[in-house]
């Protein structure tokens, strides 16, 4: 069952499951999967909502490992296999004194999935340090290195998420080598919890420790014994609207510049539309996290249909109250949110 391979713990069976433990094996399995009408490359399953009837195709489970690095006078270039667990990889970078990823600590999933979403947290995005990926392209069958500039990395998006099909094999980063000096803290909540001014450089190990504490307090660090962490993380992206539309919202609605537009807080919109932490549709085992409004959780025994029902309820409630359409962040497999 794919429920066993996703952090939401929902989803039916795959018609066929292939596991890749080496990069060459990953290439072979993905190439083989292309012969099927439907195929899916699966990493940590942390950003996935799979329908209860499962997936009628081949799933390639990425479990490749390996980290390489090359240091020079200006920093270090680090390459990691797609199947490396993301947080363990971040821990390795901090332990080795490489800076740039510490604010992304605690995010579930694998290294190969990180560029797909252009993962980000606490003022840092993967695009800040990503240099290129090794990619197996389904449209050409070619295996090649693709520069980050060609991935159209944006807020929780990339060409890998929208249209560019294939498999990420290896990810390359450019990191700093001054762990004690650290990097400037860019996020107000993190700066406040560290007791420093925004923009202050903090040692990377300190940042990692505090980020893990903050994420844990929101149920955003996986814990097998805590149903508040049985989620896909933030289920909705923060909406980006025109400046003119933002002016129609209540004055206390949080907002941040996003180019010529304005980014809103999805969590604030949900809460102020009347959907509070812990809310569940009557009779459902899916519920809003008791720690974080943006997380839709499985309280144990939930179905994918119940998660989807809760997501639709949140979307409709926010749309009716504020006129804002919330966009799901997870990849949805099946006709659940159509």
């Amino acid at each position: 069952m794919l429920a066993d391979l996703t952090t939401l713990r929902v989803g039916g069976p795959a018609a066929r499951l292939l596991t890749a433990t080496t990069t060459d094996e990953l290439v072979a399995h993905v190439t083989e999967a292309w012969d099927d009408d439907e195929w899916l490359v699966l990493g940590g399953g942390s950003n996935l909502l799979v329908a209860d009837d499962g997936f009628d195709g081949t799933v390639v489970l990425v479990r490749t490992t390996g980290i390489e690095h090359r240091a020079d006078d200006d920093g270090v270039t680090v390459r990691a296999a797609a199947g490396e667990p993301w947080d363990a990889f971040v821990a390795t970078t901090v332990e080795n004194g490489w800076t740039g990823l510490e604010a992304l600590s605690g995010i579930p999933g694998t290294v190969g999935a990180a560029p797909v979403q252009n993962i980000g947290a606490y003022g840092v995005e993967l695009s800040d340090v990503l240099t290129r990926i090794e990619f197996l392209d389904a449209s050409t069958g070619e295996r090649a290195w693709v520069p980050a500039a060609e991935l159209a990395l944006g807020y929780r998006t990339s060409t890998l998420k929208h249209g560019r099909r294939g498999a990420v094999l290896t990810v390359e980063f450019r990191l700093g080598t001054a762990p004690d000096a650290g990097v400037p803290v860019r996020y107000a909540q993190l700066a406040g919890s560290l007791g420093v001014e925004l923009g202050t450089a903090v040692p990377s190990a300190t940042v990692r420790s505090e980020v893990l504490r903050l994420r844990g307090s929101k149920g955003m660090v996986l814990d097998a014994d805590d149903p508040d962490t049985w989620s896909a993380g933030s289920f909705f992206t923060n909406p980006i609207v025109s400046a003119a539309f933002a002016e129609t919202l209540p004055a206390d609605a949080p907002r941040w510049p996003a180019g010529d537009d304005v980014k809103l807080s999805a969590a604030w919109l949900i809460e102020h539309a009347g959907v509070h932490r812990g809310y569940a549709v009557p009779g459902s085992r899916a519920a809003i996290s008791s720690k974080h409004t943006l997380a839709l959780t499985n309280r144990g025994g939930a179905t994918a249909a119940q998660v989807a029902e809760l997501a639709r309820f949140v979307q409709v409630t926010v749309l009716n109250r504020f006129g804002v359409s919330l966009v799901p962040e997870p990849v949805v497999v099946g006709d659940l949110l159509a």
Side-chain angles (χ1 to χ4, degrees), residues 155-156 187 220 233-241 249 252-256 262-277 288 292-296 311 313-315 317-319 321-322 324-330:
Y155 173 59
R156 303 298 173 270
Y187 198 77
M220 291 293 186
S234 296
F235 198 89
F236 300 103
T237 58
N238 288 323
I240 295 176
V241 300
L249 297 172
D252 59 339
R255 62 200 75 196
W256 303 271
V262 176
K263 183 188 293 185
L264 306 175
S265 166
W268 187 95
L269 293 169
I270 294 168
E271 290 176 355
H272 286 77
V275 184
H276 303 297
R277 297 177 189 182
I288 302 293
H292 196 298
T293 313
L294 272 182
L296 275 58
F313 174 82
V314 171
Q315 287 176 305
T317 303
V318 170
L319 182 62
R321 175 66 179 84
F322 294 112
V324 177
S325 296
L326 293 182
V327 177
E329 187 172 324

Side-chain angles (χ1 to χ4, degrees), residues 70-161:
R70 185 184 70 255
D72 54 44
D73 293 339
D74 299 319
V76 60
T77 298
V78 183
R79 290 180 181 175
E84 285 284 347
W86 175 258
D87 188 58
F89 170 63
V90 174
T92 296
T93 68
V94 173
E95 290 164 4
N96 280 279
W98 307 330
T99 62
L101 292 176
E102 53 272 17
L104 303 183
S105 295
I107 296 176
T110 58
V111 167
V116 178
Q117 282 290 106
N118 185 27
I119 60 171
Y122 299 102
V124 174
E125 290 191 334
L126 191 78
S127 55
D128 297 333
V129 293
L130 179 70
T131 55
R132 57 181 183 163
I133 63 169
E134 187 183 16
F135 188 65
L136 181 64
D137 195 311
S139 64
T140 65
E142 294 181 355
R143 173 181 178 178
W145 286 94
V146 180
E150 296 181 12
L151 298 177
L153 297 163
Y155 173 59
R156 303 298 173 270
T157 191
S158 71
T159 58
L160 300 170
K161 187 174 181 179

Side-chain angles (χ1 to χ4, degrees), residues 191-223:
S193 66
L194 287 166
V196 302
E197 296 292 327
L198 226 109
T200 302
V202 175
S204 56
T206 303
V207 171
R208 172 171 166 77
S209 177
E210 186 60 18
V211 166
L212 287 173
R213 187 192 71 78
L214 284 171
R215 290 185 66 90
S217 71
K218 301 173 184 178
M220 291 293 186
V221 176
L222 291 176
D223 182 345

